[in-house]
Amino acid sequence: MRGKIPKGDLLASLVLGAAVAVAVCVLNVSRDYGWARSVCDGAFVAAVLLLGMGGLKLARNKGTFDVAGYGLKYVIELALPILRHGEQEDLYQYRERKAQERKSSTGMLLAGGAFLIAAFVALGVYEIVA
């Protein structure tokens, strides 16, 4: 799946970003900030949210949090043996299994980048209007 952008993930991220941007715009307009500033703020908040979540997802996909996840799983299974399913897997097996389950962060990062560009365009409009 490397190299391909999952369209469903990109679309879902764009919809999430649009919902956040609209919510921020509505809150700002009710404070008499004006449309240009409200759109700039909404797009920027959506960009920060999507880029932050996408960055964390990218770090997770690279295995950054695998040791912590394995340690927590190991301790819980040690304390509550009833939760153990079959043989205990080692860290290497755990990392391989998790790598198979992970989904790309590309869609979220692209959507965040699109909202960041929209925020800069709206900032330019705001500077011209204000």
Side-chain angles (χ1 to χ4, degrees), residues 10-121:
L10 178 60
L11 184 61
S13 296
L14 287 171
V15 168
L16 173 65
V20 169
V22 166
V24 171
C25 285
V26 168
L27 287 173
N28 281 349
V29 168
S30 68
R31 296 179 181 165
D32 292 330
Y33 283 166
W35 280 103
R37 180 176 172 184
S38 296
V39 170
C40 179
D41 288 350
F44 185 74
V45 169
V48 168
L49 176 77
L50 290 170
L51 289 172
M53 288 173 32
L56 285 172
K57 195 173 181 180
L58 179 65
R60 182 204 63 193
N61 286 351
K62 297 293 182 186
T64 304
F65 309 114
D66 283 351
V67 173
Y70 177 77
L72 182 63
K73 178 181 175 290
Y74 184 79
V75 167
I76 289 173
E77 287 180 354
L78 192 62
L80 301 169
I82 196 162
L83 295 177
R84 190 174 305 152
H85 302 293
E87 272 188 49
Q88 178 71 29
E89 64 184 353
D90 63 5
L91 179 60
Y92 179 76
Q93 293 167 333
Y94 178 82
R95 292 185 78 182
E96 289 296 315
R97 181 175 57 84
K98 285 296 188 179
Q100 299 288 325
E101 298 171 0
R102 294 193 174 121
K103 294 180 181 160
S104 175
S105 61
T106 308
M108 196 172 285
L109 291 171
L110 285 176
F115 278 102
L116 188 61
I117 291 169
F120 280 122
V121 169

